[in-house]
Structure formats: C-alpha cells, structure tokens
Amino acid sequence: MPLILVALLLAAIPALGQQGCGDAQAWSPCDLVFDLTPPENPAQVELRAEFRSPRHKTFLLRAFTEDGKLVIRFTPTEAGAWDYRLTSSLTRLDGKTAQINAKESDAPGFVRTANVHHFATENM
C-alpha cells in the first residue's frame, strides 16, 4: 500500500479518540470529547489541555466528566490556528498535540466590565 494512502487513512481516524471542534468559530464554544475505552473511572483520570493562540497567548483548561466521557470545553478568542497539548494521567493521551482552526465570527466575544457602570465585549 503506498505511503500516501496510509497517511490518508490515518488522517480519517479521529485524533486521540476525540470528537468535536470540526467547525470551530472564534468566540463560540467547542467541546473536545474523549472516550474512555477501555472503561476507566473518569473521576480518577486527570486530563488538561494547554491551548496556544495564533498570537501565542496560552490557556490551560481541565477536563470535566459528562456521561462517562472526558470533555474539555474551549472557546477560541481569535480566528486562526490554535495548537494544544494534552497532559494526562493516561499514557495514551499524555503529551499528545493537535490543532484547531478557528474561523472568523460575528459573535461579540466575552462580556467584561468597562468601568463601574458599563460593560464591553472582548473583541470591541
């Protein structure tokens, strides 16, 4: 089997056993969902992801459990390629890296306080 065909077949397999974030948009949440197979107790598994933005700002997020799966909910704060690296107590996930490409969005961003009496959004 030619190497290019093997590479295409491997690319079709979901990375790291995860689902989600295929059509990520800036300022919209996406979930990275990790199945725990073989069945493991999700309460005993540590999983974190460090995300790096296109402008090299980093965010560290912890996974939470939902329906026996581990979920990392991430919201890109700008469009572009976001790299992330996993740290986990599971050796099959620890040290794995991947990338999410966030598209431009019309979403206003997170709300923050502008001063004592006013609010603003992050991307304005």
Side-chain angles (χ1 to χ4, degrees), residues 7 29 32-33 35 44 58 61 70 74 77 79 82-83 94 97 100 103-104 107 116:
L32 296 173
V33 180
D35 288 325
Q44 296 178 345
T58 60
L61 301 174
L70 291 172
F74 168 67
T77 56
W82 287 75
D83 297 316
D94 192 44
T97 60
I100 296 171
K103 300 174 188 165
E104 285 289 337
V116 177

Side-chain angles (χ1 to χ4, degrees), residues 76-110:
T77 56
E78 63 183 275
W82 287 75
D83 297 316
Y84 67 92
R85 183 176 191 275
L86 299 177
T87 305
S88 178
S89 59
L90 296 175
T91 55
R92 65 186 167 94
L93 295 178
D94 192 44
K96 301 294 183 187
T97 60
Q99 191 175 70
I100 296 171
N101 289 309
K103 300 174 188 165
E104 285 289 337
S105 172
D106 293 335
F110 298 132

